[in-house]
Amino acid sequence: MSTTENRGQFGSKLGFILSAAGSAVGLGNIWKFPGKAYFCGGGAFLIVYLIIVALIGTTVMMAEFTVGRKTHKNAVGAMRELNSKWSWVGGLGVLTGFIILCYYCQVGGWAIKYIVAYITDVQTVWADPTAYFLNNLLGADGTFPVQGAVIYPFIFLALTAYIISHGTAGIEKMSTILMPVLFIMLIGLMIRACTLPGADEGLAYMLHVDFSTINGVAILTALGQAFFSLSLGMGVMMTYASYLSNEDNLVSNTAIVCTLDTMVALFAGFMIIPAVFATGIAPGMGGGFGFATLAGVFMAIPGGQFVGMLFYFLLFFAAITSSTSILEGTIAFLVEEKGVARKKALVVTSVIIFIVGVLYTLSQAHMNLKGIWLSGSGVTFPIFGDFLEYLTDRLLLPAGAFFTTLFVGWVWGTENSIQEATSNGKFKFSLAPIYKVIVKFLDPIAIGAIIVAGMVFDMAIS
Ligand code: PHE
């Protein structure tokens, strides 16, 4: 196919799987998931999460994969080709990705800052971990956080853009190196955490199943987490699959990517929660968790400086293999739909993302780790930071997934999607009848419910 060749293609099966898994495995798994599992009841939450991934996550991913691979186009072009009235759904995805990147690159930058700090100056971080995080990264003491808001996020974004400037080859090369390293590091850190004295209490917490802890908020949290974690609802998986050859098996790819992503989330949970129990630190949530709270854990364990440094490398690798996927979604759209040259699209997009991102970090300065308003210091953009996350996690990602499943279920049609998934019957897909029913009914209903419920309740945990 000449169009496919012009726009690049993944070089190997494994390259695609590791790249898609690289997109899925990110800050969502390592930084968000453990806290949610802890607060939503441990073992019972894990079971709810697994059921949601198995039923909803896999089917939405398959729907996205089939649309992308069928058309070999970016999200907007793909939807347009299948039905011109629906191209705005792809546009919504591109917009969502753009907004997510604004804060994703800031947090990715913080991971680099902490790698450097753990290597060169860990005593200063440990002297007062919360103050270090609030002042150095967010500028809560009234100083301009030049490192947290500008320098390190800039480095992170520049690396992301550099990798993307090499197209699919860049993504594939990075993912085939970083993803195996990430897995090995994660398993090592998990073993370290689980063998700490006192870790068994944390393990018991994660394995104890008590369904009385599962309420509406826990289910909605699990659903929203699954989308974010599997990179669904914004056309990223569609764009990645568009670089895949027609000979690749989308059924097994969906299963492998969902399994890898979920394994990493579980491993991260079994790394962080036992460590937190062993060191007696009260787990917190939100931005400070991965930075301020975990510093207490690293301080308390033998070899904590080295373990901490490894952890931030892990966070950085996870973040950059995701940020590149999001940026690729936007760039593929600008290049293919708007005719912008790739380099120019990269520079312009990165500059805007960077500016909005700086404002994001500055806007956090007036909130402490619990989101409580701190008056007085710093530059004020009070609700800006919260607003971006609210908009993407609770509204835009679920909305993107909702419209994608409506589109595949009722407009393009599940038969077409199944034909594509199996490469016209070449591959086996014994669960096809179940896929049909889920995409048509369960997905839109369940996802519609998160959107409505998310707007109605102010979810304590997001
Ligand atoms: N899945 C990534 C994570 O878990 C984030 C992401 C969301 C990436 C949406 C792409 C699209 O961090």
Side-chain angles (χ1 to χ4, degrees):
M1 241 205 187
S2 63
T3 48
T4 316
E5 277 159 22
N6 293 341
R7 56 197 297 280
Q9 207 180 61
F10 283 106
S12 72
K13 246 189 189 129
L14 186 67
F16 170 79
I17 288 172
L18 291 177
S19 301
S23 167
V25 171
L27 297 173
N29 305 58
I30 293 167
W31 182 51
K32 285 189 179 189
F33 182 83
K36 289 184 181 184
Y38 176 80
F39 279 99
C40 294
F45 178 83
L46 297 186
I47 293 179
V48 171
Y49 183 79
L50 290 178
I51 294 172
I52 287 174
V53 168
L55 292 178
I56 300 177
T58 52
T59 51
V60 175
M61 187 177 285
M62 172 91 88
E64 287 205 22
F65 274 171
T66 54
V67 169
R69 213 265 304 268
K70 170 80 190 167
T71 55
H72 294 292
K73 289 217 160 83
N74 65 84
V76 177
M79 300 294 272
R80 174 176 300 129
E81 183 169 314
L82 298 177
N83 187 314
S84 60
K85 290 201 191 100
W86 285 72
S87 61
W88 60 271
V89 176
L92 186 72
V94 172
L95 175 75
T96 313
F98 188 84
I99 299 174
I100 288 184
L101 259 191
C102 296
Y103 60 81
Y104 213 89
C105 285
Q106 293 285 313
V107 182
W110 301 349
I112 306 180
K113 158 85 187 153
Y114 268 62
I115 294 174
V116 175
Y118 268 70
I119 295 174
T120 60
D121 194 16
V122 77
Q123 293 313 330
T124 313
V125 183
W126 287 352
D128 187 343
T130 306
Y132 186 88
F133 174 72
L134 286 174
N135 297 337
N136 284 286
L137 277 89
L138 306 182
D141 57 357
T143 52
F144 186 83
V146 70
Q147 298 195 3
V150 180
I151 296 178
Y152 286 100
F154 178 83
I155 295 173
F156 184 86
L157 183 56
L159 283 171
T160 302
Y162 174 76
I163 292 158
I164 287 298
S165 71
H166 294 84
T168 37
I171 296 170
E172 191 168 347
K173 194 166 169 201
M174 165 189 67
S175 304
T176 34
I177 300 169
L178 294 191
M179 290 310 288
V181 177
L182 185 149
F183 268 103
I184 294 168
M185 283 164 70
L186 185 60
I187 291 171
L189 285 173
M190 184 177 69
I191 294 172
R192 169 72 278 209
C194 290
T195 50
L196 287 170
D200 40 338
E201 255 182 78
L203 276 173
Y205 183 80
M206 291 292 274
L207 293 172
H208 177 70
V209 178
D210 171 7
F211 278 106
S212 67
T213 59
I214 298 299
N215 52 18
V217 170
I219 295 173
L220 293 175
T221 303
L223 210 54
Q225 171 68 21
F227 283 133
F228 188 86
S229 188
L230 294 166
S231 304
L232 299 175
M234 48 176 282
V236 157
M237 288 302 179
M238 224 180 255
T239 309
Y240 267 24
S242 76
Y243 300 125
L244 204 51
S245 117
N246 293 340
E247 301 311 307
D248 278 303
N249 184 344
L250 293 183
V251 182
S252 62
N253 281 345
T254 305
I256 295 171
V257 173
C258 288
T259 306
L260 287 177
D261 184 68
T262 306
M263 269 170 59
V264 171
L266 292 177
F267 285 1
F270 282 100
M271 161 180 78
I272 286 173
I273 303 304
V276 156
F277 270 84
T279 49
I281 309 274
M285 294 275 292
F289 178 64
F291 299 94
T293 311
L294 287 185
V297 172
F298 298 134
M299 260 162 87
I301 64 178
Q305 179 178 6
F306 181 70
V307 175
M309 181 200 71
L310 274 189
F311 174 80
Y312 292 108
F313 264 112
L314 179 81
L315 200 61
F316 165 61
F317 291 168
I320 196 144
T321 49
S322 298
S323 61
T324 40
S325 76
I326 311 176
L327 188 59
E328 178 58 28
T330 309
I331 299 302
F333 159 74
L334 288 174
V335 171
E336 291 169 19
E337 300 301 308
K338 301 286 167 206
V340 186
R342 199 171 172 88
K343 290 251 151 64
K344 186 173 164 197
L346 267 173
V347 172
V348 173
T349 311
S350 303
V351 168
I352 302 173
I353 287 170
F354 180 64
I355 293 170
V356 181
V358 171
L359 299 182
Y360 168 79
T361 295
L362 293 182
S363 79
Q364 307 285 323
H366 285 263
M367 282 172 275
N368 72 7
L369 293 179
K370 293 196 183 95
I372 295 170
W373 175 259
L374 302 169
S375 60
S377 55
V379 187
T380 50
F381 297 96
I383 46 171
F384 187 69
D386 270 359
F387 178 68
L388 287 188
E389 284 181 60
Y390 177 87
L391 198 66
T392 55
D393 289 20
R394 296 194 200 168
L395 207 59
L396 293 174
L397 282 181
F402 174 77
F403 289 116
T404 305
T405 53
L406 272 192
F407 175 78
V408 171
W410 299 95
V411 181
W412 183 42
T414 44
E415 277 310 324
N416 283 327
S417 174
I418 290 167
Q419 281 295 309
E420 184 60 36
T422 58
S423 297
N424 295 321
K426 187 171 151 208
F427 299 111
K428 235 180 94 190
F429 184 17
S430 39
L431 297 176
I434 300 178
Y435 170 70
K436 246 189 201 168
V437 175
I438 294 182
V439 170
K440 277 182 135 154
F441 301 103
L442 180 70
D443 283 345
I445 293 171
I447 301 166
I450 336 179
I451 302 174
V452 174
M455 286 196 290
V456 173
F457 307 117
D458 183 27
M459 281 191 270
I461 300 157
S462 63

